[in-house]
Amino acid sequence: SLLFHGPRGVGKQRLALWLAQLLLCENSPRPCGKCRNCEYAVNLTHPDLHWYFPRPRLKDADPDLADVRDDYQEAIADRVSNGGLYASPPGNEGIYVATVRAIVQEASISPAIARRKVFIIGDAERMVSQEGSDQAANAFLKMLEEPSEKTTIILTSSEPGALLPTIRSRAVAVRIPSLSDSAVRAFLA
C-alpha cells in the first residue's frame, strides 16, 4: 500500500494510474502501451484497475454495491471524455461508506485478466466517517494492513494530515513535489 501525497494538481492520481498500467502490463519493465492490459488501463476499462475518488452521495441511503460501481463507471467515463482533465471535487463530495464496501468487496475477488489488481483511492482524505460504518472502516484498514499478495493499493492525498493516523501508518508515504518551471520548460522543449 502506497500513499502519494503532495500539492493539489501536481499529478498524484495520474502517476498512480501510470503505476497501475506498469503493474498490469504483460511486458515489464515499463508499460509497453501495446498489450491488452496496457490498452485497457490507458482507456480506464481494465477490470483489474479500480479508481475511486470523491463523488456526491447517492440518493439511496444504503445503495447497492452495483449502484456504486455504476456511478463510478459513469464518472470515470466523463473524465476520459474530457481528456483526463477534471476539477477538484467540491466540498460536498466524499468517499462514503458504500464506496468503501465496494472497494473491500472488489478486493476480495481474484484478478480477472491480469496477474494482480490495483486500487487507486484519489483524494483519500475525503473518506467520510459515518455512524455505523465501523465495520466498513475496519475492513478497509484490514485490507490496507494485509493486502492480498495480488493487490496493490495506492492512496493519493493533498492533505495527508487529514487522513486517519491508522490509514497513514499502513501505507508507505511517497511525497510527489511540484515540478520546477525549468523542468516543465525542458520537457515541453
Side-chain angles (χ1 to χ4, degrees), residues 35-91:
C35 69
R36 171 182 65 162
N37 285 341
C38 279
E39 288 179 22
Y40 289 157
V42 166
N43 294 318
L44 297 173
T45 57
H46 200 294
D48 297 318
L49 172 57
H50 306 276
W51 185 18
Y52 294 93
F53 41 84
R55 296 285 302 140
R57 185 186 301 266
L58 293 175
K59 292 183 175 143
D60 186 353
D62 189 20
D64 290 337
L65 298 181
D67 292 337
V68 172
R69 284 190 205 98
D70 290 346
D71 179 59
Y72 275 93
Q73 284 179 344
E74 289 175 26
I76 290 169
D78 286 345
R79 287 184 173 191
V80 168
S81 70
N82 289 325
L85 300 175
Y86 54 90
S88 293

Short mmCIF file of all heavy atoms in Angstrom, two decimals, residues 35-91:
data_model
loop_
_atom_site.label_atom_id
_atom_site.label_comp_id
_atom_site.label_asym_id
_atom_site.label_seq_id
_atom_site.Cartn_x
_atom_site.Cartn_y
_atom_site.Cartn_z
N CYS A 35 0.19 -4.06 -25.24
CA CYS A 35 -0.50 -5.29 -24.83
C CYS A 35 -1.95 -4.97 -24.43
O CYS A 35 -2.32 -3.81 -24.23
CB CYS A 35 0.24 -5.96 -23.66
SG CYS A 35 0.17 -5.08 -22.09
N ARG A 36 -2.73 -6.01 -24.33
CA ARG A 36 -4.14 -5.87 -23.97
C ARG A 36 -4.30 -5.15 -22.64
O ARG A 36 -5.14 -4.25 -22.51
CB ARG A 36 -4.76 -7.27 -23.92
CG ARG A 36 -6.16 -7.33 -23.36
CD ARG A 36 -6.67 -8.74 -23.30
NE ARG A 36 -5.87 -9.51 -22.35
CZ ARG A 36 -6.24 -10.66 -21.82
NH1 ARG A 36 -7.39 -11.19 -22.17
NH2 ARG A 36 -5.48 -11.28 -20.97
N ASN A 37 -3.49 -5.51 -21.64
CA ASN A 37 -3.61 -4.88 -20.33
C ASN A 37 -3.30 -3.38 -20.39
O ASN A 37 -3.98 -2.58 -19.74
CB ASN A 37 -2.70 -5.57 -19.31
CG ASN A 37 -3.26 -6.90 -18.86
OD1 ASN A 37 -4.45 -7.18 -19.00
ND2 ASN A 37 -2.41 -7.74 -18.31
N CYS A 38 -2.28 -3.00 -21.15
CA CYS A 38 -1.96 -1.57 -21.29
C CYS A 38 -3.09 -0.81 -21.98
O CYS A 38 -3.46 0.28 -21.55
CB CYS A 38 -0.66 -1.37 -22.08
SG CYS A 38 0.84 -1.59 -21.08
N GLU A 39 -3.64 -1.39 -23.05
CA GLU A 39 -4.73 -0.72 -23.76
C GLU A 39 -5.93 -0.51 -22.85
O GLU A 39 -6.51 0.57 -22.82
CB GLU A 39 -5.13 -1.54 -25.00
CG GLU A 39 -4.11 -1.48 -26.11
CD GLU A 39 -4.52 -2.32 -27.32
OE1 GLU A 39 -5.73 -2.59 -27.49
OE2 GLU A 39 -3.61 -2.69 -28.08
N TYR A 40 -6.29 -1.54 -22.10
CA TYR A 40 -7.41 -1.40 -21.17
C TYR A 40 -7.10 -0.38 -20.08
O TYR A 40 -7.97 0.41 -19.69
CB TYR A 40 -7.76 -2.74 -20.52
CG TYR A 40 -8.40 -3.76 -21.44
CD1 TYR A 40 -8.33 -5.11 -21.12
CD2 TYR A 40 -9.09 -3.40 -22.59
CE1 TYR A 40 -8.93 -6.07 -21.93
CE2 TYR A 40 -9.69 -4.34 -23.39
CZ TYR A 40 -9.60 -5.68 -23.07
OH TYR A 40 -10.20 -6.62 -23.86
N ALA A 41 -5.88 -0.40 -19.55
CA ALA A 41 -5.51 0.53 -18.48
C ALA A 41 -5.52 1.97 -18.98
O ALA A 41 -6.04 2.86 -18.29
CB ALA A 41 -4.13 0.17 -17.92
N VAL A 42 -5.00 2.21 -20.16
CA VAL A 42 -4.98 3.57 -20.72
C VAL A 42 -6.40 4.10 -20.91
O VAL A 42 -6.68 5.27 -20.67
CB VAL A 42 -4.19 3.61 -22.05
CG1 VAL A 42 -4.44 4.89 -22.82
CG2 VAL A 42 -2.70 3.44 -21.77
N ASN A 43 -7.30 3.23 -21.32
CA ASN A 43 -8.70 3.62 -21.55
C ASN A 43 -9.54 3.56 -20.28
O ASN A 43 -10.75 3.82 -20.32
CB ASN A 43 -9.33 2.75 -22.63
CG ASN A 43 -8.68 2.97 -23.97
OD1 ASN A 43 -8.40 4.10 -24.35
ND2 ASN A 43 -8.41 1.89 -24.69
N LEU A 44 -8.90 3.17 -19.17
CA LEU A 44 -9.58 3.04 -17.87
C LEU A 44 -10.76 2.07 -17.92
O LEU A 44 -11.78 2.28 -17.29
CB LEU A 44 -10.01 4.41 -17.34
CG LEU A 44 -8.85 5.37 -17.06
CD1 LEU A 44 -9.37 6.76 -16.71
CD2 LEU A 44 -7.97 4.84 -15.95
N THR A 45 -10.57 1.01 -18.69
CA THR A 45 -11.60 -0.03 -18.80
C THR A 45 -11.08 -1.38 -18.32
O THR A 45 -11.74 -2.41 -18.52
CB THR A 45 -12.10 -0.17 -20.25
OG1 THR A 45 -10.97 -0.45 -21.10
CG2 THR A 45 -12.81 1.09 -20.72
N HIS A 46 -9.91 -1.40 -17.70
CA HIS A 46 -9.32 -2.66 -17.24
C HIS A 46 -10.11 -3.18 -16.04
O HIS A 46 -10.33 -2.46 -15.07
CB HIS A 46 -7.86 -2.45 -16.85
CG HIS A 46 -7.07 -3.71 -16.82
ND1 HIS A 46 -7.32 -4.72 -15.91
CD2 HIS A 46 -6.05 -4.14 -17.61
CE1 HIS A 46 -6.49 -5.72 -16.14
NE2 HIS A 46 -5.71 -5.40 -17.15
N PRO A 47 -10.54 -4.45 -16.09
CA PRO A 47 -11.35 -4.98 -14.99
C PRO A 47 -10.58 -5.16 -13.68
O PRO A 47 -11.19 -5.36 -12.63
CB PRO A 47 -11.85 -6.33 -15.52
CG PRO A 47 -10.85 -6.72 -16.56
CD PRO A 47 -10.37 -5.43 -17.17
N ASP A 48 -9.25 -5.06 -13.73
CA ASP A 48 -8.44 -5.21 -12.52
C ASP A 48 -7.87 -3.88 -12.03
O ASP A 48 -7.06 -3.85 -11.11
CB ASP A 48 -7.31 -6.22 -12.75
CG ASP A 48 -7.86 -7.60 -13.05
OD1 ASP A 48 -8.83 -8.01 -12.38
OD2 ASP A 48 -7.33 -8.27 -13.97
N LEU A 49 -8.30 -2.79 -12.65
CA LEU A 49 -7.90 -1.44 -12.22
C LEU A 49 -9.15 -0.76 -11.68
O LEU A 49 -10.14 -0.60 -12.39
CB LEU A 49 -7.33 -0.65 -13.41
CG LEU A 49 -7.06 0.83 -13.19
CD1 LEU A 49 -6.12 1.06 -12.02
CD2 LEU A 49 -6.49 1.45 -14.45
N HIS A 50 -9.09 -0.38 -10.42
CA HIS A 50 -10.24 0.22 -9.74
C HIS A 50 -9.85 1.59 -9.23
O HIS A 50 -8.94 1.71 -8.40
CB HIS A 50 -10.72 -0.68 -8.60
CG HIS A 50 -10.99 -2.08 -9.05
ND1 HIS A 50 -12.19 -2.44 -9.61
CD2 HIS A 50 -10.20 -3.18 -9.08
CE1 HIS A 50 -12.14 -3.72 -9.94
NE2 HIS A 50 -10.95 -4.19 -9.63
N TRP A 51 -10.52 2.63 -9.73
CA TRP A 51 -10.20 4.01 -9.37
C TRP A 51 -11.40 4.61 -8.66
O TRP A 51 -12.51 4.64 -9.21
CB TRP A 51 -9.88 4.79 -10.64
CG TRP A 51 -9.42 6.19 -10.46
CD1 TRP A 51 -8.91 6.79 -9.34
CD2 TRP A 51 -9.38 7.20 -11.47
NE1 TRP A 51 -8.57 8.09 -9.59
CE2 TRP A 51 -8.86 8.37 -10.89
CE3 TRP A 51 -9.76 7.21 -12.81
CZ2 TRP A 51 -8.69 9.54 -11.61
CZ3 TRP A 51 -9.59 8.39 -13.52
CH2 TRP A 51 -9.06 9.55 -12.93
N TYR A 52 -11.18 5.04 -7.43
CA TYR A 52 -12.23 5.65 -6.62
C TYR A 52 -11.78 7.04 -6.20
O TYR A 52 -10.59 7.26 -5.95
CB TYR A 52 -12.54 4.80 -5.38
CG TYR A 52 -13.14 3.46 -5.73
CD1 TYR A 52 -12.35 2.34 -5.90
CD2 TYR A 52 -14.51 3.34 -5.90
CE1 TYR A 52 -12.91 1.11 -6.24
CE2 TYR A 52 -15.08 2.12 -6.24
CZ TYR A 52 -14.27 1.01 -6.40
OH TYR A 52 -14.83 -0.19 -6.74
N PHE A 53 -12.72 7.95 -6.10
CA PHE A 53 -12.45 9.35 -5.75
C PHE A 53 -13.74 9.95 -5.22
O PHE A 53 -14.80 9.34 -5.33
CB PHE A 53 -11.93 10.12 -6.98
CG PHE A 53 -12.65 9.80 -8.25
CD1 PHE A 53 -13.84 10.43 -8.58
CD2 PHE A 53 -12.16 8.84 -9.13
CE1 PHE A 53 -14.52 10.13 -9.75
CE2 PHE A 53 -12.83 8.53 -10.31
CZ PHE A 53 -14.01 9.18 -10.62
N PRO A 54 -13.67 11.15 -4.62
CA PRO A 54 -14.89 11.74 -4.06
C PRO A 54 -16.00 11.90 -5.10
O PRO A 54 -15.75 12.32 -6.23
CB PRO A 54 -14.41 13.10 -3.55
CG PRO A 54 -12.97 12.90 -3.28
CD PRO A 54 -12.49 11.97 -4.36
N ARG A 55 -17.19 11.54 -4.67
CA ARG A 55 -18.39 11.63 -5.51
C ARG A 55 -19.53 12.16 -4.65
O ARG A 55 -19.49 12.07 -3.42
CB ARG A 55 -18.80 10.24 -6.04
CG ARG A 55 -17.81 9.58 -6.95
CD ARG A 55 -17.78 10.16 -8.34
NE ARG A 55 -19.11 10.07 -8.94
CZ ARG A 55 -19.66 11.03 -9.69
NH1 ARG A 55 -19.02 12.14 -9.94
NH2 ARG A 55 -20.86 10.88 -10.20
N PRO A 56 -20.58 12.70 -5.28
CA PRO A 56 -21.76 13.09 -4.49
C PRO A 56 -22.36 11.84 -3.85
O PRO A 56 -22.27 10.74 -4.40
CB PRO A 56 -22.72 13.67 -5.54
CG PRO A 56 -21.89 13.95 -6.74
CD PRO A 56 -20.73 13.00 -6.71
N ARG A 57 -22.98 12.04 -2.70
CA ARG A 57 -23.65 10.92 -2.03
C ARG A 57 -24.81 10.46 -2.91
O ARG A 57 -25.57 11.28 -3.44
CB ARG A 57 -24.18 11.38 -0.67
CG ARG A 57 -24.78 10.24 0.15
CD ARG A 57 -25.42 10.73 1.43
NE ARG A 57 -24.51 11.41 2.31
CZ ARG A 57 -23.84 10.85 3.31
NH1 ARG A 57 -23.99 9.56 3.52
NH2 ARG A 57 -23.05 11.55 4.07
N LEU A 58 -24.95 9.15 -3.08
CA LEU A 58 -26.07 8.61 -3.85
C LEU A 58 -27.36 8.86 -3.09
O LEU A 58 -27.38 8.91 -1.86
CB LEU A 58 -25.86 7.13 -4.12
CG LEU A 58 -24.67 6.80 -5.05
CD1 LEU A 58 -24.48 5.29 -5.15
CD2 LEU A 58 -24.86 7.40 -6.42
N LYS A 59 -28.46 8.99 -3.83
CA LYS A 59 -29.75 9.33 -3.20
C LYS A 59 -30.23 8.27 -2.22
O LYS A 59 -30.79 8.59 -1.19
CB LYS A 59 -30.80 9.57 -4.29
CG LYS A 59 -30.48 10.82 -5.06
CD LYS A 59 -31.53 11.13 -6.09
CE LYS A 59 -31.16 12.41 -6.69
NZ LYS A 59 -31.18 12.96 -7.75
N ASP A 60 -30.03 7.01 -2.57
CA ASP A 60 -30.43 5.92 -1.69
C ASP A 60 -29.53 5.94 -0.45
O ASP A 60 -28.30 6.00 -0.57
CB ASP A 60 -30.29 4.59 -2.43
CG ASP A 60 -30.82 3.40 -1.64
OD1 ASP A 60 -31.17 3.58 -0.46
OD2 ASP A 60 -30.87 2.30 -2.22
N ALA A 61 -30.11 5.90 0.73
CA ALA A 61 -29.33 5.96 1.97
C ALA A 61 -28.37 4.77 2.10
O ALA A 61 -27.30 4.90 2.67
CB ALA A 61 -30.26 6.01 3.17
N ASP A 62 -28.76 3.61 1.57
CA ASP A 62 -27.92 2.42 1.62
C ASP A 62 -27.90 1.80 0.22
O ASP A 62 -28.56 0.80 -0.03
CB ASP A 62 -28.45 1.44 2.67
CG ASP A 62 -27.49 0.29 2.92
OD1 ASP A 62 -26.29 0.44 2.61
OD2 ASP A 62 -27.95 -0.75 3.42
N PRO A 63 -27.12 2.39 -0.70
CA PRO A 63 -27.16 1.92 -2.09
C PRO A 63 -26.55 0.54 -2.27
O PRO A 63 -25.69 0.11 -1.50
CB PRO A 63 -26.32 2.97 -2.84
CG PRO A 63 -25.41 3.53 -1.81
CD PRO A 63 -26.15 3.47 -0.51
N ASP A 64 -27.04 -0.15 -3.29
CA ASP A 64 -26.45 -1.44 -3.67
C ASP A 64 -25.03 -1.19 -4.16
O ASP A 64 -24.74 -0.13 -4.72
CB ASP A 64 -27.23 -2.08 -4.82
CG ASP A 64 -28.61 -2.55 -4.41
OD1 ASP A 64 -28.84 -2.80 -3.20
OD2 ASP A 64 -29.45 -2.68 -5.32
N LEU A 65 -24.18 -2.18 -4.01
CA LEU A 65 -22.81 -2.05 -4.50
C LEU A 65 -22.78 -1.88 -6.02
O LEU A 65 -21.92 -1.20 -6.55
CB LEU A 65 -21.98 -3.24 -4.05
CG LEU A 65 -21.84 -3.39 -2.52
CD1 LEU A 65 -20.98 -4.59 -2.18
CD2 LEU A 65 -21.29 -2.13 -1.90
N ALA A 66 -23.76 -2.48 -6.70
CA ALA A 66 -23.85 -2.31 -8.16
C ALA A 66 -24.12 -0.85 -8.52
O ALA A 66 -23.57 -0.34 -9.50
CB ALA A 66 -24.94 -3.21 -8.74
N ASP A 67 -24.95 -0.16 -7.72
CA ASP A 67 -25.22 1.26 -7.96
C ASP A 67 -23.95 2.09 -7.77
O ASP A 67 -23.69 3.03 -8.53
CB ASP A 67 -26.32 1.78 -7.03
CG ASP A 67 -27.68 1.17 -7.34
OD1 ASP A 67 -27.88 0.70 -8.48
OD2 ASP A 67 -28.53 1.15 -6.43
N VAL A 68 -23.16 1.74 -6.76
CA VAL A 68 -21.89 2.45 -6.51
C VAL A 68 -20.96 2.24 -7.71
O VAL A 68 -20.39 3.20 -8.24
CB VAL A 68 -21.23 1.97 -5.20
CG1 VAL A 68 -19.83 2.57 -5.05
CG2 VAL A 68 -22.10 2.31 -4.01
N ARG A 69 -20.83 1.01 -8.16
CA ARG A 69 -19.95 0.72 -9.31
C ARG A 69 -20.42 1.45 -10.55
O ARG A 69 -19.61 2.01 -11.30
CB ARG A 69 -19.89 -0.78 -9.55
CG ARG A 69 -19.03 -1.50 -8.56
CD ARG A 69 -18.78 -2.95 -8.98
NE ARG A 69 -18.49 -3.70 -7.79
CZ ARG A 69 -19.38 -4.45 -7.12
NH1 ARG A 69 -20.61 -4.57 -7.56
NH2 ARG A 69 -19.03 -5.09 -6.03
N ASP A 70 -21.73 1.45 -10.81
CA ASP A 70 -22.27 2.15 -11.98
C ASP A 70 -21.96 3.65 -11.91
O ASP A 70 -21.59 4.26 -12.92
CB ASP A 70 -23.78 1.94 -12.09
CG ASP A 70 -24.15 0.52 -12.47
OD1 ASP A 70 -23.26 -0.25 -12.91
OD2 ASP A 70 -25.35 0.16 -12.32
N ASP A 71 -22.11 4.24 -10.72
CA ASP A 71 -21.81 5.66 -10.54
C ASP A 71 -20.35 5.94 -10.88
O ASP A 71 -20.05 6.91 -11.58
CB ASP A 71 -22.14 6.08 -9.10
CG ASP A 71 -21.82 7.54 -8.85
OD1 ASP A 71 -22.39 8.41 -9.57
OD2 ASP A 71 -21.00 7.83 -7.95
N TYR A 72 -19.44 5.12 -10.40
CA TYR A 72 -18.02 5.33 -10.69
C TYR A 72 -17.69 5.09 -12.15
O TYR A 72 -16.88 5.81 -12.74
CB TYR A 72 -17.13 4.48 -9.76
CG TYR A 72 -16.90 5.19 -8.45
CD1 TYR A 72 -17.72 4.97 -7.37
CD2 TYR A 72 -15.89 6.14 -8.33
CE1 TYR A 72 -17.54 5.66 -6.18
CE2 TYR A 72 -15.70 6.83 -7.14
CZ TYR A 72 -16.52 6.58 -6.07
OH TYR A 72 -16.34 7.28 -4.91
N GLN A 73 -18.32 4.10 -12.78
CA GLN A 73 -18.06 3.87 -14.21
C GLN A 73 -18.47 5.10 -15.02
O GLN A 73 -17.75 5.50 -15.94
CB GLN A 73 -18.81 2.63 -14.69
CG GLN A 73 -18.14 1.35 -14.23
CD GLN A 73 -18.90 0.11 -14.68
OE1 GLN A 73 -20.06 0.16 -15.07
NE2 GLN A 73 -18.23 -1.03 -14.62
N GLU A 74 -19.60 5.70 -14.68
CA GLU A 74 -20.04 6.91 -15.38
C GLU A 74 -19.08 8.07 -15.12
O GLU A 74 -18.74 8.82 -16.04
CB GLU A 74 -21.46 7.30 -14.94
CG GLU A 74 -22.54 6.38 -15.44
CD GLU A 74 -23.91 6.73 -14.87
OE1 GLU A 74 -24.14 7.90 -14.51
OE2 GLU A 74 -24.75 5.82 -14.80
N ALA A 75 -18.65 8.23 -13.87
CA ALA A 75 -17.73 9.32 -13.53
C ALA A 75 -16.39 9.16 -14.24
O ALA A 75 -15.82 10.14 -14.73
CB ALA A 75 -17.54 9.40 -12.02
N ILE A 76 -15.89 7.94 -14.30
CA ILE A 76 -14.62 7.69 -14.99
C ILE A 76 -14.78 7.94 -16.48
O ILE A 76 -13.91 8.54 -17.12
CB ILE A 76 -14.12 6.26 -14.69
CG1 ILE A 76 -13.65 6.19 -13.22
CG2 ILE A 76 -12.99 5.85 -15.63
CD1 ILE A 76 -13.38 4.78 -12.72
N ALA A 77 -15.89 7.51 -17.05
CA ALA A 77 -16.15 7.76 -18.48
C ALA A 77 -16.18 9.27 -18.75
O ALA A 77 -15.66 9.72 -19.79
CB ALA A 77 -17.47 7.10 -18.91
N ASP A 78 -16.76 10.05 -17.84
CA ASP A 78 -16.76 11.52 -18.00
C ASP A 78 -15.33 12.05 -17.99
O ASP A 78 -14.99 12.92 -18.80
CB ASP A 78 -17.55 12.20 -16.88
CG ASP A 78 -19.05 12.05 -17.05
OD1 ASP A 78 -19.50 11.67 -18.15
OD2 ASP A 78 -19.78 12.32 -16.05
N ARG A 79 -14.50 11.55 -17.09
CA ARG A 79 -13.12 12.02 -17.02
C ARG A 79 -12.36 11.65 -18.30
O ARG A 79 -11.58 12.44 -18.81
CB ARG A 79 -12.42 11.44 -15.79
CG ARG A 79 -12.89 12.10 -14.50
CD ARG A 79 -12.15 11.61 -13.29
NE ARG A 79 -12.53 12.39 -12.11
CZ ARG A 79 -11.91 12.34 -10.96
NH1 ARG A 79 -10.87 11.54 -10.80
NH2 ARG A 79 -12.31 13.09 -9.95
N VAL A 80 -12.60 10.45 -18.81
CA VAL A 80 -11.95 10.03 -20.05
C VAL A 80 -12.40 10.91 -21.21
O VAL A 80 -11.59 11.36 -22.02
CB VAL A 80 -12.23 8.53 -20.35
CG1 VAL A 80 -11.81 8.15 -21.76
CG2 VAL A 80 -11.55 7.65 -19.32
N SER A 81 -13.70 11.20 -21.29
CA SER A 81 -14.21 12.03 -22.39
C SER A 81 -13.68 13.46 -22.34
O SER A 81 -13.65 14.14 -23.36
CB SER A 81 -15.74 12.02 -22.42
OG SER A 81 -16.26 12.75 -21.33
N ASN A 82 -13.23 13.90 -21.17
CA ASN A 82 -12.65 15.24 -21.02
C ASN A 82 -11.13 15.20 -21.14
O ASN A 82 -10.44 16.11 -20.67
CB ASN A 82 -13.04 15.86 -19.68
CG ASN A 82 -14.49 16.26 -19.64
OD1 ASN A 82 -15.05 16.67 -20.65
ND2 ASN A 82 -15.11 16.10 -18.48
N GLY A 83 -10.60 14.14 -21.73
CA GLY A 83 -9.16 14.04 -21.93
C GLY A 83 -8.39 13.81 -20.64
O GLY A 83 -7.19 14.09 -20.57
N GLY A 84 -9.06 13.30 -19.63
CA GLY A 84 -8.39 13.02 -18.36
C GLY A 84 -8.34 14.21 -17.42
O GLY A 84 -7.81 14.12 -16.33
N LEU A 85 -8.89 15.33 -17.86
CA LEU A 85 -8.89 16.53 -17.02
C LEU A 85 -10.16 16.59 -16.19
O LEU A 85 -11.24 16.25 -16.68
CB LEU A 85 -8.78 17.79 -17.88
CG LEU A 85 -7.52 17.87 -18.74
CD1 LEU A 85 -7.59 19.11 -19.63
CD2 LEU A 85 -6.27 17.91 -17.87
N TYR A 86 -10.03 17.02 -14.97
CA TYR A 86 -11.20 17.15 -14.10
C TYR A 86 -10.88 18.17 -13.02
O TYR A 86 -9.74 18.38 -12.64
CB TYR A 86 -11.59 15.80 -13.49
CG TYR A 86 -10.46 15.10 -12.78
CD1 TYR A 86 -10.25 15.30 -11.42
CD2 TYR A 86 -9.60 14.25 -13.46
CE1 TYR A 86 -9.20 14.68 -10.76
CE2 TYR A 86 -8.56 13.62 -12.81
CZ TYR A 86 -8.37 13.84 -11.46
OH TYR A 86 -7.33 13.22 -10.81
N ALA A 87 -11.93 18.81 -12.54
CA ALA A 87 -11.78 19.81 -11.48
C ALA A 87 -11.67 19.11 -10.13
O ALA A 87 -12.09 17.97 -9.97
CB ALA A 87 -12.99 20.75 -11.49
N SER A 88 -11.11 19.82 -9.17
CA SER A 88 -11.09 19.30 -7.80
C SER A 88 -12.53 19.09 -7.35
O SER A 88 -13.41 19.88 -7.69
CB SER A 88 -10.42 20.29 -6.86
OG SER A 88 -9.06 20.40 -7.18
N PRO A 89 -12.78 18.04 -6.58
CA PRO A 89 -14.15 17.79 -6.15
C PRO A 89 -14.64 18.88 -5.21
O PRO A 89 -13.87 19.37 -4.37
CB PRO A 89 -14.07 16.44 -5.43
CG PRO A 89 -12.64 16.29 -5.06
CD PRO A 89 -11.85 17.06 -6.06
N PRO A 90 -15.90 19.27 -5.35
CA PRO A 90 -16.46 20.26 -4.42
C PRO A 90 -16.51 19.69 -3.00
O PRO A 90 -16.43 18.48 -2.80
CB PRO A 90 -17.86 20.56 -4.96
CG PRO A 90 -18.13 19.54 -6.01
CD PRO A 90 -16.87 18.85 -6.35
N GLY A 91 -16.68 20.56 -2.03
CA GLY A 91 -16.66 20.18 -0.63
C GLY A 91 -17.73 19.20 -0.21
O GLY A 91 -17.60 18.52 0.80
#
